[in-house]
Amino acid sequence: MVEIYLLCLVVGSVLIGLTLFGGHHDTGGDTTIHFPAHDNVEFHGHDHSHPFLSDVAQWLSIRNIIFFAAFFGLTGATLT
């Protein structure tokens, strides 16, 4: 299990370092993710919108996954 922690720590740290020192291109626009096929779904005459899907998509961004991997590895390696 220690190998998994160290792998996550190394890969996550390298990717964080690349994003910090490699630059960050900000689009300056709206980064809200919309799912057009699911925005207005009618089910038996009721209008159901799914803001939950947009929230989940924002939490599962590549940046959050990288930070999770790095700090998962750091926590696991430290507590082992």
Side-chain angles (χ1 to χ4, degrees):
M1 192 70 181
V2 175
E3 293 85 11
I4 294 173
Y5 294 142
L6 292 176
L7 178 68
C8 286
L9 177 62
V10 169
V11 171
S13 298
V14 166
L15 291 175
I16 287 174
L18 286 174
T19 58
L20 287 176
F21 297 116
H24 170 191
H25 301 289
D26 189 14
T27 59
D30 185 22
T31 58
T32 304
I33 297 172
H34 297 284
F35 295 100
H38 298 289
D39 280 343
N40 293 316
V41 176
E42 290 190 20
F43 183 70
H44 296 294
H46 299 288
D47 183 26
H48 296 283
S49 60
H50 295 285
F52 176 74
L53 293 177
S54 294
D55 294 338
V56 168
Q58 288 175 353
W59 280 102
L60 292 178
S61 68
I62 190 69
R63 182 182 298 163
N64 286 342
I65 293 170
I66 290 171
F67 275 99
F68 174 77
F71 289 105
F72 171 76
L74 179 65
T75 304
T78 302
L79 294 178
T80 298

